[in-house]
């Protein structure tokens, strides 16, 4: 690079004996969208061909500079410090030779740095696991939004962001503060980052990935050497250096937050590994770490999870065998202790009640409410006591620990092992053997595990499955870390030979692990590299033509020209997710009248909710297309795939699946701004409708013009709401009793249904669940059970310690069961509130993110504050107070509730199913 050209960013790439991967790292910098930068290759005196490769890279691009240390330093610090010395840009970044920068990293970080004037900018790290080609994020909760932090004391959680490589620093900030990486120690990032955070007047955070951390399966790094005691010594050593620096610079007030980070991250890594260490190693570990733990304040330990506190207490009191047992529970909330001791109203971890006050404090697990759990969310533990192989047959002996008494008469157990799709399931007989303990044995013939059409190359883990009264769960099967490895050669019919290995997993909880590896002809297909990928792509293209959408569309077009089957109707609800919604109640009205219509139901996943004997067809299959092509009637709640134009002579009843609070159809900006082709496809899909079920005048005002509906309107109310209007009838009360029994809700508990809608920008993240249940439980758990029913587009899992208070309602295909069951509903912006108003029961709205939701890209038709039929709540305290005073809530909101019903329930009479069948089937044209 010419000396008069000053780069905007210097990227220091440190390298040692990495000639193969260095070019990739350099290329990731040279290909940045920011062109005016320099690459400094800082070589820690490599002994392989790294120097030759680096000098070649230097010669190929004037932006590359090569510097070489005279002797190897044995760490990352010295080459980084050398890079800082020679950097010419106003901003500097660091990159390891085995990693990469995303293409826009430098430019995006520089723009933020120049805009904000901060000392450094930090961003998200993508961890790329090369063995599986999967990715994960580094502490994603720290990088949810763009922000400027005015000193670490304002947001001390950023001590967890201790990497030096995901940051763009002002070079002057580093040099003016004489900030260097400490040489001669490991974990140098920790001290450097702690000092940088503490010295910075301000730093910025960006919510996008700025660094790709590649994790190779064969790599042996400092951080992956936790099995060495010296590694522990090094980690404690750098923690002490940080503490000393805090003291020397008058920043001792930051020590508690750094200690919390140390316990939750650094020390926590070793705790999780204790499952795989012998007792001698653990004893040596205790000798190293306990003196440092003794220096940490009790208040800091109190911030940890109960599982972590139990492990630390057992470590500090020398109960090392019990520590190994407890360590398996870390991060695995459904894993039970082996034993629980009850003493009065308190419950303690372990087989005996604690004798001293400290043990009673640290081992108290009363907060887990073990005795009030249900099968689906309580804690269990299955440990292998013997693993043997007899040829291809895996012989297992298991001890199950059930301290919560979840296993009762009628519980059916099995072991399941999958390699491809469908698992092998082997029955398991649990024989009582001591208080809260069971023993069992099983033989898994690995030849019987389905492996697909071309075999598999995969790693899987057997699980123990339990089922009772429709409730199901699966749990891991724990193996001893030093159990023998077993190998077998298995020939699968038509699929060739596989090599199998059975061993204990050496990470996580230490599950039993089975690995399949192809051999022979099947194995020879795997290493063909790009040729195999090209061949696969060609095969995929042919497959798409034959059996993909192109093939299905062609087959559909041919069949749709045949005459209609006069009696055939295709019913689909919720895109095939179950027997529910408006189509269910229309179907049941048809059955009541015994009309000569043959109904085929569509399914897309679990078929358990459909009545026995009902013909089913899988959504998207060729059979699905054939059924649609021949049917005289289509009945659907979501809009059938655009792939299928409506044949001549077919009549399409669209019931839709809810009234409109958020904008729909052409009122959504993304559709308004879409291409003409996308808009025309949408219009064509809606134009197929012959009739649309209409629940209210408001629906006509909002939904109908937004979708440009031209179909006939059936102003009947929703068929699914008939049971809500007529909730007191014996048939509905029987559903209530069945739902209470299925959810194991005690007779003396009232039920609150919590049903939030999804957030468009955060699908599948669980972020729609805004209520803090842990904080709410002490207020309500003595009187109430909350049934949580998230939207199908979202995810939520009940923590075991809340199993006494929460129930998972996702297993109910028809949400009407839950609405009938509940004494009140808690929602936010879900259209469920319009349906629930038909019951006349209290409606509560938890809307702590209302301004953000209303101001989102989609927008809403109403100001919720103007139409809300109940209180809009934003805090746990207000929510608890409202639930405790439902009579008062109803009284105070009576007029608003009545107006809400008038707006959104005006067509609801409890006879919508009859009216729809009259209008569409009895009054419609049948030819």
């Amino acid at each position: 690079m010419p000396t008069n050209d000053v780069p905007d960013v210097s990227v220091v790439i440190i390298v040692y004996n990495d000639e193969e991967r260095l070019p990739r790292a350099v290329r990731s910098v040279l290909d940045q969208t920011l062109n005016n930068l320099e690459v400094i290759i800082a070589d820690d005196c490599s002994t392989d061909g790294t120097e030759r490769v680096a000098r070649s890279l230097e010669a190929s691009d004037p932006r590359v500079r090569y510097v070489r240390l005279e002797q190897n330093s044995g760490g990352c610090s010295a080459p980084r410090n050398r890079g800082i010395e020679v950097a010419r840009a106003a901003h500097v970044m660091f990159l390891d030779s085995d990693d990469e920068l995303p293409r826009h990293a430098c430019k995006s970080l520089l723009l933020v740095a120049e805009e904000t004037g901060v000392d450094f900018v930090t961003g998200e790290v993508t961890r790329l696991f090369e063995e599986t080609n999967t990715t994960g994020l580094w502490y994603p909760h720290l990088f949810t939004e763009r922000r400027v932090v005015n000193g670490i004391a304002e947001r001390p959680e950023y001590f967890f962001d201790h990497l030096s490589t995901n940051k763009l620093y002002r070079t002057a900030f580093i040099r003016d503060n004489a900030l260097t990486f400490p040489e001669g120690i490991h974990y140098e990032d920790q001290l450097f980052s702690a000092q940088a955070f503490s010295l910075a007047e301000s730093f910025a955070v960006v919510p996008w990935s700025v660094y790709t951390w590649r994790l190779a399966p064969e790599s042996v790094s400092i951080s992956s050497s936790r099995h060495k005691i010296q590694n522990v010594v090094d980690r404690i050593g750098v923690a002490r250096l940080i503490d000393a620096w805090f003291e020397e610079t008058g920043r001792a007030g930051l020590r508690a937050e750094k200690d919390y980070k140390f316990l939750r991250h650094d020390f926590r890594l070793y705790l999780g590994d204790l499952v795989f260490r012998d007792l001698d190693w653990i004893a040596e570990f205790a000798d190293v770490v306990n003196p440092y733990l003794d220096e940490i304040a009790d208040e800091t330990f109190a911030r940890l999870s109960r599982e972590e506190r139990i492990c630390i207490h057992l470590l500090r009191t020398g109960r090392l065998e019990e520590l190994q047992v407890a360590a398996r529970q870390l991060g695995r909330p459904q894993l039970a202790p082996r034993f629980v001791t009850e003493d009065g109203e308190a419950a303690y971890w372990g087989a005996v009640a604690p004798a001293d006050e400290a043990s009673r404090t640290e081992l108290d697990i009363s907060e887990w409410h073990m005795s009030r759990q249900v099968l689906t969310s309580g804690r269990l533990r299955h440990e292998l006591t013997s693993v043997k192989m007899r040829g291809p047959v895996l012989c297992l002996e298991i001890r199950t620990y059930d301290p919560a008494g979840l296993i009762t008469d009628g519980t059916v157990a099995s072991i399941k092992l999958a390699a491809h799709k469908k698992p092998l399931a082997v029955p398991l007989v649990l024989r009582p053997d001591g208080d809260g303990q069971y023993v069992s044995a099983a033989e898994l013939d690995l030849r019987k595990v389905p492996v697909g059409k071309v075999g598999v190359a995969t790693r899987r883990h057997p699980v123990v499955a339990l089922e009772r009264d429709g409730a199901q769960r699966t749990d891991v099967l724990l193996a001893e870390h030093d159990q023998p490895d077993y190998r077998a050669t298995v020939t699968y019919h038509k699929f060739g030979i596989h090599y199998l290995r059975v061993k204990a997993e050496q990470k996580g909880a230490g599950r039993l692990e089975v690995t399949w590896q192809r051999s022979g002809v099947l194995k020879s297909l795997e290493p063909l590299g790009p040729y195999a990928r090209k061949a696969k792509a060609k095969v995929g293209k042919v497959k798409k033509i034959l059996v993909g959408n192109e093939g299905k569309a062609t087959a559909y077009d041919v069949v749709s020209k045949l005459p209609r089957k006069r009696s055939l109707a295709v019913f689909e609800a919720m895109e095939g997710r179950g027997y529910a919604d408006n189509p269910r109640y229309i179907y049941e009205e048809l059955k009541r009248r015994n009309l000569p219509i043959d109904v085929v139901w569509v399914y897309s996943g679990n078929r358990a909710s459909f009545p026995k004997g009902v013909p089913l067809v899988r959504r998207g299959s060729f059979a699905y297309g054939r059924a649609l092509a021949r049917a005289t009637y289509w009945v659907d709640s979501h809009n059938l795939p655009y792939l299928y134009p409506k044949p001549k002579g077919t009549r399409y009843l669209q019931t839709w699946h809810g009234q409109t609070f958020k904008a729909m159809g052409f009122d959504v900006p993304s559709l308004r701004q879409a291409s003409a082709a996308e808009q025309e496809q949408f219009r064509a899909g809606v134009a197929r409708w012959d009739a649309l079920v209409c629940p209210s005048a408001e629906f006509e005002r909002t939904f109908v013009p937004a979708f440009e509906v031209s179909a006939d309107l059936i102003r009947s109310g929703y068929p699914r709401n008939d049971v809500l209007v007529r909730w007191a009838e014996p048939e509905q009360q029987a559903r209530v009793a069945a739902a209470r029994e299925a959810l194991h809700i005690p007779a003396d508990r009232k039920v609150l249904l919590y049903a939030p809608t999804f957030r468009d920008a955060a699908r599948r993240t669980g972020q729609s669940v805004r209520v803090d249940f842990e904080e709410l439980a002490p207020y309500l758990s003595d009187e109430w059970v909350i049934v949580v029913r998230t939207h199908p587009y979202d995810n939520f899992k009940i923590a075991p310690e809340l199993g006494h208070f929460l129930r998972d309602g996702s297993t109910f295909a028809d949400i009407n069961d839950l609405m009938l069951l509940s004494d009140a509903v808690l929602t936010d912006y879900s259209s469920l509130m319009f349906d629930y108003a038909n019951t006349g029961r209290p409606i509560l709205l938890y809307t702590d993110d209302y301004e953000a939701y209303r101001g989102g890209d989609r927008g809403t038709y109403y100001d919720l504050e103007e139409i809300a039929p109940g209180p809009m709540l934003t805090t746990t305290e207000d929510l608890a107070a409202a639930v405790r005073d439902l009579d008062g809530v109803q009284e105070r909101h009576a007029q608003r509730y009545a107006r809400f019903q008038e707006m959104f329930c005006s067509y609801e009479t409890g006879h919508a199913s009859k009216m729809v069948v009259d209008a569409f089937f009895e009054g419609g044209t049948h030819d």
Side-chain angles (χ1 to χ4, degrees):
M1 180 180 291
T3 56
N4 61 333
D5 290 339
V6 179
D8 292 317
V9 175
S10 297
V11 180
V12 178
I13 303 179
I14 62 169
V15 61
Y16 175 70
N17 285 358
D18 199 11
E19 59 180 304
E20 292 187 3
R21 293 181 294 191
L22 176 62
R24 182 182 66 193
V26 172
R27 179 52 54 194
S28 78
V29 182
L30 297 179
D31 287 344
Q32 290 286 301
T33 47
L34 177 70
N35 186 60
N36 187 31
L37 48 72
E38 71 172 350
V39 178
I40 300 170
I41 301 175
D43 183 358
D44 196 19
C45 198
S46 295
T47 58
D48 66 348
T50 293
E51 180 177 6
R52 173 183 50 79
V53 171
R55 293 197 182 281
S56 175
L57 291 167
E58 183 181 41
S60 68
D61 194 305
R63 294 175 295 171
V64 180
R65 299 166 61 196
Y66 175 64
V67 295
R68 178 179 172 85
L69 275 64
E70 293 183 359
Q71 61 184 22
N72 177 252
S73 69
C76 301
S77 295
R80 283 183 183 151
N81 290 336
R82 180 67 176 134
I84 293 171
E85 290 174 9
V86 302
R88 301 175 53 244
H91 293 87
V92 64
M93 288 187 73
F94 303 104
L95 175 64
D96 293 346
S97 62
D98 54 342
D99 298 330
E100 297 172 88
L101 294 185
R103 190 161 184 265
H104 303 291
C106 292
K107 188 172 186 177
S108 66
L109 289 172
L110 181 62
L111 289 173
V112 174
E114 292 178 337
E115 176 188 336
T116 60
V118 295
D119 292 317
F120 62 86
V121 186
T122 183
E124 181 60 277
V125 175
T126 297
R127 305 174 75 198
L128 174 60
F129 301 93
E130 294 182 344
E131 183 179 19
T132 58
N133 199 34
T134 57
T135 60
L137 297 178
W138 170 264
Y139 285 109
H141 68 279
L142 297 178
F143 303 98
T144 58
E145 60 183 351
R146 180 174 163 174
R147 60 165 62 103
V148 172
V149 180
N150 296 310
I152 189 66
E154 182 178 287
R155 300 298 295 266
E157 63 268 28
Y158 281 95
F159 275 131
F160 282 86
D161 177 27
H162 63 238
L163 301 178
S164 65
T165 49
N166 61 327
K167 299 171 179 66
L168 177 81
Y169 307 86
R170 280 196 307 110
T171 308
F173 165 69
I174 292 178
R175 289 174 177 167
D176 291 349
N177 286 286
L179 191 56
T180 60
F181 289 89
E183 299 185 20
I185 67 170
H186 293 310
Y187 299 109
E188 68 290 329
D189 271 21
Q190 305 239 358
L191 178 58
F192 182 89
S193 295
Q195 291 173 333
F197 274 119
S198 303
L199 290 165
E201 292 185 8
S202 62
F203 60 90
V205 180
V206 297
W208 55 82
S209 180
V210 301
Y211 194 87
T212 302
W213 181 2
R214 301 183 70 104
L215 298 164
E218 73 282 356
S219 65
V220 180
S221 64
I222 295 167
S223 59
S224 65
S225 301
R226 295 194 301 266
H227 61 288
K228 299 178 181 179
I229 288 295
Q230 184 59 46
N231 185 275
V232 185
V233 173
D234 291 341
R235 186 95 66 164
I236 297 291
V238 79
R240 289 192 182 280
L241 287 176
I242 296 171
D243 298 339
W245 186 81
F246 282 162
E247 287 289 341
E248 293 167 4
T249 60
R251 292 178 170 86
L254 295 173
R255 167 78 191 262
E257 293 296 337
K258 184 241 83 182
D259 283 346
Y260 179 64
K261 176 263 176 185
F262 171 81
L263 292 173
R264 288 287 294 118
H265 177 86
D266 304 89
F267 182 67
R268 170 66 175 75
L269 293 172
Y270 296 104
L271 281 184
D273 288 343
L274 296 183
V275 177
F276 315 109
R277 309 285 181 254
D278 60 40
L279 292 177
D280 289 340
W281 193 98
I282 297 175
E284 193 173 355
F285 172 74
D287 290 340
V288 172
V289 301
N290 278 340
Y292 190 68
L293 295 179
D294 291 341
E295 299 174 18
I296 296 176
D298 291 342
E299 293 78 11
T300 304
F301 289 114
R303 298 171 61 183
L304 303 178
S305 71
R306 178 60 61 180
E307 287 87 350
E308 290 167 321
R309 290 172 64 183
I310 289 170
C311 287
I312 291 173
H313 179 75
L314 296 173
L315 175 69
R316 298 176 74 183
T317 55
R319 296 162 64 177
L320 304 185
E321 291 187 32
E322 294 174 274
L323 170 60
Q324 275 195 309
V325 174
R328 288 194 190 261
Q329 292 176 236
L330 294 171
R332 300 164 200 98
Q334 284 198 298
L335 195 58
R338 285 179 177 174
F339 307 104
V340 174
T341 300
E342 295 185 358
D343 187 4
E345 295 184 358
Y348 298 100
W349 192 96
V352 296
D356 59 274
E357 186 59 33
S359 295
R360 284 192 289 271
T361 300
E362 298 304 307
L363 301 180
D364 188 337
I365 58 171
S366 303
E367 65 201 50
W368 291 353
H369 302 280
M370 296 283 287
S371 62
R372 293 173 57 185
Q373 300 291 337
V374 296
L375 180 66
T376 53
S377 61
R379 297 173 186 253
L380 283 169
R381 187 185 195 101
H382 306 283
E383 295 184 358
L384 283 161
T385 56
S386 174
V387 179
K388 296 179 181 178
M389 289 284 287
R390 191 176 65 249
V393 179
L394 181 58
C395 306
L396 307 175
E397 294 181 6
I398 304 164
R399 179 167 290 274
T400 295
Y401 296 91
D402 177 25
L406 302 176
I407 299 171
T408 60
D409 290 344
T411 302
V412 178
S414 61
I415 287 188
K416 294 183 177 180
L417 176 60
H420 180 55
K421 291 181 180 179
K422 185 178 180 181
L424 170 69
V426 176
L428 200 62
V429 177
L430 302 177
R431 300 188 306 278
D433 187 56
D435 189 22
Q437 298 181 61
Y438 299 85
V439 294
S440 54
E443 293 187 351
L444 279 69
D445 188 339
L446 299 178
R447 293 169 297 188
K448 297 181 179 179
V449 179
V451 296
K453 294 181 179 179
V454 293
V456 293
T458 190
R459 180 187 301 122
R460 295 298 178 90
H461 307 91
V463 295
V464 176
L466 301 178
E467 181 175 356
R468 186 179 67 246
D469 300 330
Q472 300 176 340
R473 68 178 290 157
T474 58
D475 296 279
V476 299
L477 196 52
L478 304 176
E480 290 295 329
H481 73 94
D482 56 354
Q483 76 157 50
D485 284 11
Y486 293 99
R487 299 176 186 270
T489 301
V490 176
T491 302
Y492 293 98
H493 179 57
K494 297 182 181 179
F495 310 129
I497 296 174
H498 283 67
Y499 298 128
L500 273 67
R501 182 182 182 186
V502 178
K503 65 184 185 68
E505 184 183 41
Q506 297 299 305
K507 62 181 180 179
R511 299 170 293 179
L512 184 66
E513 182 173 281
V514 182
T515 303
W516 284 261
Q517 183 179 5
R518 296 185 182 97
S519 66
V521 175
L522 293 178
K523 178 66 176 177
S524 67
L525 296 176
E526 293 180 9
L528 295 179
Y531 300 104
R533 287 192 291 272
K534 289 180 181 179
K536 185 176 181 181
K538 290 182 179 179
V539 170
K541 188 173 182 180
V542 174
K543 183 178 180 180
K544 181 178 180 181
I545 295 172
L546 295 177
V547 301
N549 284 347
E550 295 178 41
K552 291 172 184 175
T554 301
Y556 177 81
D557 184 60
V558 172
V559 178
S560 65
K561 291 180 171 56
L562 299 174
R564 307 279 69 70
K565 294 182 69 173
R566 287 172 55 87
S567 64
L568 180 60
V570 174
F571 274 57
E572 178 175 313
M574 307 182 302
E575 298 170 315
R577 286 191 294 272
Y579 179 65
D581 215 325
N582 292 309
R584 167 183 173 169
Y585 296 92
I586 296 169
Y587 169 75
E588 290 178 354
E589 179 66 19
L590 290 176
K591 298 295 287 183
R592 272 192 291 271
R593 299 191 190 191
N594 200 27
L595 292 182
I597 297 174
D598 301 320
V599 175
V600 172
W601 272 92
V602 177
Y603 76 94
S604 58
N606 193 324
R607 293 177 283 181
S609 65
F610 292 95
K612 291 182 179 179
V614 171
L616 299 176
V617 63
R618 182 170 56 82
R619 195 173 199 260
S621 65
F622 278 100
Y624 175 69
R626 287 195 299 272
L628 290 174
R630 299 299 307 278
T632 297
Y633 305 103
W634 292 354
V635 181
D636 162 55
S637 69
H638 274 67
N639 213 3
L640 295 169
Y642 296 145
L643 181 65
Y644 306 105
K646 188 183 67 174
K648 182 179 179 180
T650 296
R651 299 182 67 242
Y652 187 171
L653 172 63
Q654 178 56 252
T655 72
W656 207 243
H657 52 275
Q659 299 201 55
T660 50
F661 176 74
K662 54 193 172 189
M664 304 289 285
F666 284 100
D667 290 339
V668 178
S670 60
L671 184 56
R672 284 202 309 270
Q673 298 163 11
S675 66
E678 289 175 293
Q679 291 183 351
E680 184 53 38
Q681 184 183 57
F682 184 87
R683 288 191 178 96
V686 173
R688 296 175 299 177
W689 304 351
D690 294 289
L692 172 66
V693 176
C694 201
S696 71
E698 285 296 313
F699 186 80
E700 290 187 51
R701 186 180 70 81
T702 56
F703 181 93
V704 171
F707 274 67
E708 300 182 359
V709 174
S710 61
D712 295 335
L713 300 182
I714 303 176
R715 298 176 176 86
S716 58
Y718 272 153
R720 72 184 186 193
N721 288 344
D722 288 349
V723 296
L724 301 179
V725 175
R726 294 151 52 188
W727 60 266
E729 294 181 357
E731 184 178 352
Q732 278 65 262
Q733 290 306 300
R735 290 177 67 170
V736 170
R740 286 190 77 99
E741 183 177 359
L743 291 168
H744 301 281
I745 297 175
D748 62 346
R749 296 292 193 275
K750 290 176 282 189
V751 177
L752 178 67
L753 171 61
Y754 177 44
T757 192
F758 67 97
R759 273 56 174 172
D760 281 314
R763 298 189 183 200
R764 311 294 182 193
T765 66
Q767 293 181 25
S768 67
V769 178
R770 310 288 301 181
V771 175
D772 187 334
F773 294 120
E774 186 175 359
E775 190 176 278
L776 184 63
Y779 291 102
L780 300 179
S781 62
D782 288 342
E783 296 183 42
W784 287 83
V785 166
I786 297 181
V787 177
V788 183
R789 170 63 172 250
T790 55
H791 193 280
Y793 294 163
D794 213 337
N795 290 328
F796 176 71
K797 190 173 181 65
I798 294 174
E801 57 266 27
L802 293 171
H804 68 295
F805 180 47
L806 304 183
R807 299 291 188 271
D808 182 2
S810 64
T811 57
F812 287 79
D814 193 341
I815 197 172
N816 274 352
D817 291 296
L818 305 179
M819 288 196 280
L820 290 167
L821 164 71
S822 62
D823 296 284
V825 74
L826 174 64
T827 185
D828 44 21
Y829 323 109
S830 171
S831 63
L832 173 135
M833 65 177 126
F834 305 122
D835 297 334
Y836 198 82
N838 286 288
T839 68
R841 299 171 189 169
I843 298 174
L844 308 177
L845 304 165
Y846 196 80
T847 55
D848 66 320
D849 64 339
Y850 179 53
E851 292 304 320
Y853 189 89
R854 181 173 62 173
D857 292 339
R858 178 179 287 206
T860 63
Y861 289 117
Y862 308 96
D863 183 342
L864 188 58
E865 293 173 328
E866 293 183 1
I867 68 166
M872 294 176 64
L873 308 163
T874 59
T875 69
T876 301
E877 292 77 11
D878 289 345
L879 172 57
V883 175
R884 287 173 159 178
D885 184 32
L886 287 179
D887 290 341
V889 166
Q890 281 197 289
E891 184 178 344
R892 290 189 293 273
H893 291 81
Q895 290 185 343
R896 294 173 64 87
Y897 200 110
R899 180 171 174 266
F900 188 84
Q901 288 178 311
E902 184 179 348
M903 290 178 67
F904 299 106
C905 306
S906 56
Y907 293 171
E908 304 286 5
T909 64
H911 301 286
S913 301
K914 179 180 182 301
M915 295 170 67
V916 170
V917 171
D918 285 344
F920 188 75
F921 292 96
E922 296 280 22
T925 303
H926 285 243
D927 46 43

